[in-house]
Amino acid sequence: MNNVEFQKHVDFSPINEVKHLYHGSKNGIQGRIVPNFKLARRAIDFGQGFYLGNNPTQAKTLICGRDDYHPVLYKADLDLNGLNCVRVSGLPWALLIAYNRGFLDEYKDTSLYAQIADIGKGQDIIAGPIADDRTS
């Protein structure tokens, strides 16, 4: 992938707005939300972090269907002014997900791998489509 094509799908320009976002929790959130990479799941789409989406129905699908949960749907108004944000789409989006899930490790010595690995560095927000690979 050439640099021009890559840049078309990776946008680092500021997002100066407030977004209404949703998070589904299987048992609710206790206390403050702080980065804790020891507890965060690994090998997920955009890397370790706190995931929010703009579709409440999608957030609900992640927390429904089990009797042992006490699901809670949260709505957050997130002010993106002053945050470092990157929006990813197209092939770079797919490669970023493959990278974070550990599927590109055999390409570690390539320039494309390094380019994909750098997308989220220093970013407060990584935005992109949901990779909905649920089979049921």
Side-chain angles (χ1 to χ4, degrees):
M1 171 182 315
N2 66 39
N3 231 8
V4 172
E5 184 67 24
F6 186 84
Q7 291 306 319
K8 236 187 344 184
H9 296 285
V10 180
D11 181 3
F12 291 98
S13 61
I15 303 173
N16 297 313
E17 62 182 286
V18 174
K19 289 274 191 183
H20 307 292
L21 301 171
Y22 302 88
H23 176 82
S25 174
K26 294 175 182 171
N27 289 301
I29 298 171
Q30 306 299 319
R32 296 178 53 218
I33 299 169
V34 296
N36 186 338
F37 295 111
K38 291 179 182 175
L39 296 177
R41 291 184 358 217
R42 299 183 190 284
I44 54 178
D45 296 351
F46 295 122
Q48 292 178 304
F50 187 76
Y51 280 64
L52 298 151
N54 61 1
N55 182 338
T57 301
Q58 193 276 336
K60 289 177 189 176
T61 64
L62 298 174
I63 59 174
C64 65
R66 294 208 24 201
D67 294 335
D68 56 337
Y69 293 156
H70 302 287
V72 180
L73 178 67
Y74 295 93
K75 179 183 177 196
D77 294 327
L78 183 61
D79 186 352
L80 301 175
N81 288 291
L83 296 179
N84 294 321
C85 302
V86 60
R87 290 172 299 289
V88 186
S89 63
L91 183 56
W93 166 81
L95 289 171
L96 180 63
I97 290 171
Y99 165 80
N100 282 311
R101 291 182 178 184
F103 296 138
L104 298 182
D105 289 349
E106 66 186 271
Y107 304 101
K108 279 185 179 179
D109 297 327
T110 67
S111 60
L112 180 59
Y113 182 93
Q115 197 173 20
I116 296 300
D118 284 345
I119 288 176
K121 288 195 173 140
Q123 299 302 311
D124 299 308
I125 305 285
I126 300 173
I130 301 284
D132 188 0
D133 55 1
R134 289 180 164 221
T135 57
S136 59

